[in-house]
Amino acid sequence: MIELSSEDQLDLNTVTVTITDRHTPIVVLFGPPASGKTLALMRMIRFLEKYEYQVIPEEVFRPKTDRHYARMCANLKKMVYDQNMPEGAHTINFMLVRVLNPAGRPVCQILKAPGEHYFNCYRSAVPNLFHKYIDDIRTAPNRKTWVFFVEQGWGENQEERNLYAQKICSMQNLISPNDKVVFLFNKADKHRHDQYNRSGKPVMSLFFSNIASQYPGIFTKYQNSGMLKLLYGQYNFKAVCFSSGFYTPDADGRVRWIPGDDWYCSELWKVIK
């Protein structure tokens, strides 16, 4: 059984978070349950450390009395480099990590949180209401990049995707107009047979049109007009296709994680930087 901290057992709105670095930009991975945020973070850590970046858990982000968080920080690298399939939010609950370049200078901070903290279609909730610690991140003085996870065919049906789209739009209405926005079309390689070109790369226009139809309204706020449209195109956000890899069963019954191509990580890192 996974042990949760006392704060998680009681009320997330009682959790106090501390952002010691108020200058380095924060990247928020925003997505529903089973959208792949945990695996994407772990895949990016492997990629960055391959190129001599350092990814370090921010140990004081949650209170010192939170023993569960302390264990997550201590075991992060072990989880990242484990060959077996991670267990999502049960592996990394909500955590802030710092990314340092090869010279040791901070590049960004990344917030990973469970999908249920952003969206839960089984609970009636005010659309623009989020947990306090998410609001603390949102209102922090750091520059922020919001990475909205969307996947073709995610969820049980179109109604569930509509509800998640509404949650995305709610957050878009709350964040600063100076914040950067990235739409991450996750698990893209599931559509390799019909949405990739002959060179093995995803056809962005196909992904874009399908995501727009399945998650109505999520691009509307970022439409350019007039001279901005002529100079920068129809939208003022970035979009990337991404894949963390795939799973394959082992002879001993375990499920192995086979990381995806570095190309996906490289494309995501470009837009984050």
Side-chain angles (χ1 to χ4, degrees), residues 227-250:
M227 186 60 69
L228 288 176
K229 185 174 182 180
L230 291 175
L231 292 174
Y232 300 111
Q234 187 174 359
Y235 297 101
N236 62 346
F237 60 77
K238 299 292 185 180
V240 294
C241 288
F242 192 80
S243 171
S244 299
F246 63 93
Y247 306 123
T248 181
D250 208 345

Side-chain angles (χ1 to χ4, degrees), residues 5-268:
S5 63
S6 58
E7 290 88 349
D8 290 335
Q9 292 174 343
L10 296 174
D11 182 1
L12 278 168
N13 288 321
T14 67
V15 176
T16 300
V17 295
T18 301
I19 305 169
T20 57
D21 184 345
R22 311 286 280 185
H23 303 286
T24 302
I26 298 174
V27 178
V28 182
L29 307 183
F30 185 111
S35 59
K37 298 183 304 302
T38 297
L39 201 61
L41 173 61
M42 295 170 74
R43 181 67 187 93
M44 287 301 297
I45 292 175
R46 284 194 181 192
F47 170 79
L48 291 169
E49 293 194 337
K50 178 180 177 180
Y51 292 96
E52 299 184 355
Y53 285 81
Q54 301 176 60
V55 183
I56 304 170
E58 182 56 89
E59 296 182 355
V60 299
F61 177 60
R62 288 165 65 169
K64 291 182 179 180
T65 55
D66 192 335
R67 291 175 295 175
H68 174 65
Y69 185 68
R71 281 191 292 274
M72 282 196 296
C73 292
N75 294 327
L76 177 62
K77 296 303 173 65
K78 180 180 178 181
M79 292 185 287
V80 166
Y81 289 99
D82 194 329
Q83 294 182 352
N84 296 317
M85 180 178 68
E87 299 178 8
H90 297 294
T91 303
I92 302 177
N93 190 278
F94 69 97
M95 171 183 282
L96 188 71
V97 300
R98 301 172 62 227
V99 180
L100 311 180
N101 69 14
R105 291 189 290 270
V107 178
C108 68
Q109 306 173 83
I110 303 177
L111 175 70
K112 156 64 181 68
E116 292 83 0
H117 293 189
Y118 295 117
F119 172 76
N120 190 334
C121 66
Y122 300 108
R123 297 179 185 173
S124 59
V126 179
N128 63 352
L129 186 65
F130 295 91
H131 291 298
K132 178 180 179 297
Y133 82 88
I134 296 175
D135 285 331
D136 290 342
I137 293 286
R138 178 178 61 81
T139 57
N142 311 62
R143 290 180 292 136
K144 284 170 282 291
T145 296
W146 295 83
V147 181
F148 293 106
F149 279 59
V150 283
E151 174 195 344
Q152 294 183 56
W154 173 84
E156 296 183 0
N157 49 48
Q158 183 56 45
E159 181 180 1
E160 189 169 0
R161 289 189 288 275
N162 289 343
L163 290 172
Y164 175 51
Q166 292 172 20
K167 200 68 173 179
I168 290 177
C169 293
S170 295
M171 180 56 82
Q172 291 173 348
N173 290 330
L174 293 173
I175 64 179
S176 168
N178 295 322
D179 289 354
K180 304 300 181 183
V181 168
V182 177
F183 287 97
L184 186 145
F185 303 158
N186 202 24
K187 305 178 187 178
D189 55 346
K190 291 170 61 176
H191 305 276
R192 187 178 295 275
H193 65 287
D194 62 346
Q195 296 181 40
Y196 277 58
N197 59 29
R198 291 181 179 178
S199 64
K201 296 296 187 293
V203 180
M204 184 58 72
S205 59
L206 294 177
F207 279 89
F208 195 98
S209 61
N210 289 336
I211 292 296
S213 65
Q214 292 187 18
Y215 300 88
I218 63 172
F219 299 148
T220 303
K221 190 177 181 67
Y222 303 103
Q223 289 181 314
N224 286 323
S225 60
M227 186 60 69
L228 288 176
K229 185 174 182 180
L230 291 175
L231 292 174
Y232 300 111
Q234 187 174 359
Y235 297 101
N236 62 346
F237 60 77
K238 299 292 185 180
V240 294
C241 288
F242 192 80
S243 171
S244 299
F246 63 93
Y247 306 123
T248 181
D250 208 345
D252 58 8
R254 292 179 297 181
V255 180
R256 297 288 184 179
W257 171 30
I258 309 299
D261 194 295
D262 275 1
W263 179 85
Y264 296 106
C265 297
S266 177
E267 292 299 299
L268 177 56

